Amino acid sequence: MSKKKFSVNGTFKDSVNTVKFLTERKQFINSAEAVIPTRTDDFGVNKVAKSIHPKEQKLVIDRIEEHSNIAKSYYFKSEGAPLAYFKAGQYLTFKLEIGSSVVTRSYSIASSPASALNGEYQITVKRINDGFVSDYILDNWSVGDKVIAYAPEGNLIYNPLRDAKNIVGIAGGSGITPFLSIARAIAQGDEDCILTLLYGCRTSDEILFKAELDSLSEKNEKINVVYVLSHSDEEGYEKGFVGADIIRKYAPGENYSIFVCGPGGLYKFLDTELPKLQKEKKFIRFEVFSSGKKAEEEPKEYSITVINRGNETVIKASSNETVLCAFERAGIVVPARCHTGECGFCRSKLVSGKVYIPEGEDKRRIADMQFNFIHPCCCYPESDLVVRIN
């Protein structure tokens, strides 16, 4: 085998200086006190990071506003530290204890980012059929109650490096809240974009924040609001569903991004309508949403063996509920945020068994798929399972 010669650029003096430097550094380290002179929490960068991304926020309900018996807006103040800042379009995840269940649910922030600097958050909760958490909130939350929320999150935000300056917002029902936040931010000068809002409801009685939306639109040329009614033919409103034809009618030219937030029916309808516009995927953004598994006529019951930090617990689960819902119902606390498979907080190891993941909702990394990690929030049991969390 032939020998290869290698050469290293440098001089003997360089080597001597390097040895001298390392020796002096070691002596300096050894002579220092074995105490950190400044607490890491006192560093400026850590203070900023903690204020923007707190592990949790302790909030107090300051006031409640009712909306025609179909929804309520809750306004929160901080119990201590300043509220975490957010981008218009993001959501808050709340941690609740309902009976023996420990659950998390996310709600879009309706207030503007400037309101957080003034110490206030606003969310709006609408009553829905079989809404376990929403019904609990609407029936139980009162002024003065203390609640826990995590830091604001979400990607339904305007990013000038990614999005067109013209945004076509498509909202359905209570999905109006992130767009109200964006509209408020535009009006206050905190967002430099143009919003054309297509707001779909069944009837005009179900329109939330109409007076404020009309006022924002009248006072600011960057905000245009169009109401679309699906079950009522009223003068001054578009009739039907927000689809490709209505988007083309009101879209400001050809260069625009589409943001969507609303119920499952809206998402499924747009699955067939948006391709007609032939827009690049980067210009279409959906708020995270889980369509759920279609209920079976005779749901099956399975057992889940939950391994949590070495302890094993066996719980029951229905084929019609997600694995995460089974955890929550059994009082097992699991890190969770979005409930749609996107954030990955609830990522767990599927040791054995089979789960069903609805089409389009498997947002795992390729490596997680190969090594059998799952997101329990969007998985439904199809056999007995063994799952390791944390």
Side-chain angles (χ1 to χ4, degrees):
M1 183 175 63
S2 61
K3 295 183 179 180
K4 294 183 179 180
K5 295 182 180 181
F6 297 91
S7 61
V8 178
N9 293 329
T11 65
F12 177 73
K13 185 177 180 180
D14 292 333
S15 300
V16 172
N17 287 337
T18 299
V19 172
K20 181 181 179 182
F21 167 75
L22 294 174
T23 302
E24 291 177 348
R25 186 178 70 170
K26 185 176 182 179
Q27 292 173 347
F28 177 77
I29 293 173
N30 291 335
S31 65
E33 296 182 12
V35 178
I36 299 177
T38 304
R39 294 188 319 116
T40 55
D41 288 345
D42 292 335
F43 289 117
V45 65
N46 290 343
K47 287 182 178 179
V48 173
K50 188 176 181 180
S51 67
I52 298 177
H53 306 288
K55 291 183 178 179
E56 64 178 34
Q57 300 186 89
K58 296 180 180 179
L59 307 178
V60 179
I61 300 175
D62 184 60
R63 57 193 173 96
I64 301 174
E65 177 186 0
E66 293 203 27
H67 303 285
S68 304
N69 297 320
I70 62 172
K72 292 181 182 179
S73 284
Y74 295 88
Y75 297 82
F76 303 94
K77 299 291 186 181
S78 173
E79 192 181 9
L83 297 179
Y85 191 70
F86 66 95
K87 288 280 290 180
Q90 292 190 305
Y91 59 82
L92 285 173
T93 300
F94 292 85
K95 179 182 177 182
L96 305 94
E97 295 184 12
I98 304 176
S100 61
S101 300
V102 180
V103 302
T104 58
R105 289 295 186 273
S106 301
Y107 293 94
S108 294
I109 305 172
S111 46
S112 68
S115 67
L117 298 179
N118 294 324
E120 183 178 83
Y121 285 144
Q122 175 196 352
I123 67 167
T124 300
V125 181
K126 186 177 180 181
R127 195 176 295 277
I128 59 176
N129 293 332
D130 300 322
F132 174 51
V133 176
S134 60
D135 284 354
Y136 174 83
I137 289 175
L138 292 167
D139 295 336
N140 292 276
W141 276 8
S142 302
V143 172
D145 285 352
K146 298 178 181 180
V147 299
I148 298 295
Y150 299 110
E153 298 169 283
N155 295 312
L156 197 73
I157 59 176
Y158 171 65
N159 184 334
L161 297 178
R162 175 197 65 204
D163 305 310
K165 192 166 186 176
N166 291 307
I167 296 174
V168 173
I170 303 175
S174 58
I176 187 61
T177 47
F179 297 111
L180 178 60
S181 179
I182 293 172
R184 287 169 166 172
I186 292 173
Q188 293 169 355
D190 293 327
E191 290 288 2
D192 185 19
C193 57
I194 300 169
L195 176 64
T196 300
L197 179 57
L198 308 178
Y199 184 10
C201 290
R202 291 168 59 88
T203 67
S204 60
D205 293 336
E206 295 184 2
I207 297 175
L208 297 171
F209 305 107
K210 186 176 186 304
E212 182 176 358
L213 290 170
D214 289 343
S215 177
L216 288 169
S217 180
E218 290 170 4
K219 295 178 181 179
N220 197 306
E221 61 181 9
K222 292 184 176 181
I223 303 169
N224 180 35
V225 184
V226 179
Y227 304 102
V228 184
L229 306 182
S230 61
H231 289 67
S232 180
D233 191 0
E234 302 177 41
E235 186 176 352
Y237 300 89
E238 285 283 354
K239 177 69 167 62
F241 297 94
V242 181
D245 290 340
I246 288 182
I247 295 172
R248 289 193 189 99
K249 181 176 179 179
Y250 291 99
E254 295 295 326
N255 186 23
Y256 60 90
S257 289
I258 296 175
F259 287 11
V260 185
C261 184
L266 174 64
Y267 283 58
K268 292 176 182 178
F269 178 68
L270 290 175
D271 280 344
T272 59
E273 289 293 305
L274 293 185
K276 299 176 183 178
L277 301 173
Q278 297 182 332
K279 297 196 71 66
E280 292 182 61
K281 287 186 177 181
K282 72 172 184 176
F283 292 118
I284 299 176
R285 304 197 66 76
F286 287 84
E287 178 56 288
V288 290
F289 166 78
S290 178
S291 60
K293 183 180 181 183
K294 184 178 180 181
E296 298 174 342
E297 292 183 2
E298 296 183 7
K300 301 177 179 63
E301 185 176 86
Y302 300 109
S303 68
I304 302 179
T305 300
V306 185
I307 305 173
N308 187 2
R309 301 186 186 278
N311 298 316
E312 292 189 8
T313 305
V314 179
I315 64 175
K316 297 296 183 181
S318 168
S319 58
N320 283 338
E321 69 178 350
T322 65
V323 174
L324 179 59
C325 283
F327 291 164
E328 293 177 335
R329 185 168 46 77
I332 297 174
V333 180
V334 181
R337 296 289 192 276
C338 69
H339 280 253
T340 61
E342 183 175 78
C343 72
F345 268 89
C346 64
R347 176 178 177 268
S348 303
K349 171 73 172 181
L350 180 61
V351 179
S352 66
K354 183 180 179 182
V355 296
Y356 165 81
I357 303 176
E359 184 178 357
E361 294 186 25
D362 193 350
K363 303 178 179 69
R364 294 175 295 170
R365 296 173 296 182
I366 294 176
D368 282 352
M369 296 179 186
Q370 292 175 341
F371 293 100
N372 228 24
F373 282 88
I374 61 171
H375 295 170
C377 64
C378 60
C379 294
Y380 296 80
E382 289 196 325
S383 71
D384 293 339
L385 307 176
V386 177
V387 179
R388 186 177 70 242
I389 62 176
N390 296 327

